[in-house]
């Protein structure tokens, strides 16, 4: 496991981001649309292990563990056949979207902490209760491998599951930009970095992740 | 989006620095930002403290926090769009040509 512990850099941090992270971490251990809180927590633990940020993974069904590992550590290797195999195993395609949401959230939160030189957040105890599907009625197959509301873009990628989209959007708004201005390139958000500086960071991150977004 | 935002603000930016960080991006503190991002995204815990300290010295703690935040945001966004197969917008294909990389067939 990689060492992630450093002397905390106390002057780093952002109050708005902390609220969004707190909400996301609470949602990760709460029942979702298809997975229980315990299952979602296990996926986050597995994702950390896949990135070398935790000693042990979690006890998950093989197809779930494989998908978590892939999204966490080599998302660029995902192909439509992986999604088809998921559905072929009898699982709902939107359960896959929920998995992607959980893994992407914990990966991004962990990356933020690592950037700040802070310890990773402890995952809370799972919240009891059965999954309660909350699905956008207008979601349909558009241009991606999973249903979305409207054309699939970064802001709409999780739109079939409104709770997941809301959590992702809150993190994105706190860290980067609100969804409605991501593609409005003349918008200068007035943050500690200029738009061009932020986009340089974004572009290099995407390059390192072999992502063309 | 780097190219588009630079155009929108009439800023001279060299997008090749994204793939060749030894080049001058033209973005203020670009080299320090790139070094910091590399350390985070590559989980390089050896280089990270110095890269962070250099960026704080050059641009301030707020800039370092925001850089970590933007990097974190794209650590999530990248995974989402790749995992659910969001195709690359055709209007950005030429950026791949500029950078010497091809958009993979499965995302066209």
């Amino acid at each position: 496991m990689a060492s992630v512990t450093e002397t905390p850099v106390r002057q780093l941090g952002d109050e708005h981001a902390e609220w969004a992270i707190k909400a996301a971490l609470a949602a990760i251990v709460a029942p979702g649309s298809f997975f229980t809180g315990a299952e979602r927590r296990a996926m986050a633990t597995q994702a950390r292990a896949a990135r070398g940020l935790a000693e042990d993974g979690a006890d998950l069904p093989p197809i779930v563990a494989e998908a978590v590992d892939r999204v966490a550590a080599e998302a660029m290797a995902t192909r439509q056949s992986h999604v088809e195999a998921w559905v072929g195993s009898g699982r709902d395609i939107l359960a896959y979207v929920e998995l992607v949401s959980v893994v992407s959230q914990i990966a991004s939160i962990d990356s933020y902490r690592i950037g700040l030189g802070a310890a990773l957040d402890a995952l809370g105890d799972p919240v009891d209760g059965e999954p309660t599907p909350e699905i956008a009625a207008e979601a349909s197959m558009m241009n991606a491998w999973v249903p979305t509301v409207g054309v699939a873009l970064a802001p709409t990628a999780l739109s079939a599951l409104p709770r997941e989209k809301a959590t992702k959007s809150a993190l994105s708004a706190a860290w980067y930009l609100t969804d409605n201005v991501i593609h409005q390139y003349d918008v200068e958000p007035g943050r500690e970095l200029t738009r061009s500086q932020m986009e340089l960071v974004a572009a290099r991150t995407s390059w390192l992740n072999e992502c063309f977004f | 989006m780097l190219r588009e935002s630079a155009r929108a603000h009439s800023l001279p930016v060299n997008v090749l620095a994204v793939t060749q960080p030894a080049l001058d991006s033209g973005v203020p503190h670009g080299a320090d930002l790139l070094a910091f991002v590399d350390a985070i995204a590559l989980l390089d815990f050896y280089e990270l403290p110095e890269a962070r300290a250099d960026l704080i010295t050059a641009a301030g703690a707020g800039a370092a926090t925001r850089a970590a935040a933007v990097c974190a945001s794209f650590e999530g966004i990248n995974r989402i769009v790749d995992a659910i197969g969001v195709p690359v917008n055709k209007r950005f294909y030429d950026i791949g040509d500029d950078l010497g990389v091809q958009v993979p067939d499965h995302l066209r």
Side-chain angles (χ1 to χ4, degrees), chain B residues 7-81:
Chain B
R7 280 179 179 167
H9 291 90
S10 300
L11 297 173
V13 168
N14 182 3
V15 295
L16 289 176
V18 172
T19 57
Q20 303 173 58
L23 299 177
D24 181 1
S25 65
V27 174
H29 306 301
D32 289 321
L33 287 167
L34 291 173
F36 186 48
V37 170
D38 284 9
I40 298 173
L42 298 174
L43 300 177
D44 187 339
F45 297 102
Y46 180 77
E47 296 287 346
L48 182 55
E50 184 175 344
R52 184 191 305 112
D54 287 348
L55 181 57
I56 291 172
T57 299
T65 298
R66 185 58 53 198
V70 174
C71 178
S73 190
F74 276 77
E75 287 282 357
I77 290 170
N78 291 166
R79 284 172 170 80
I80 292 168
V81 298

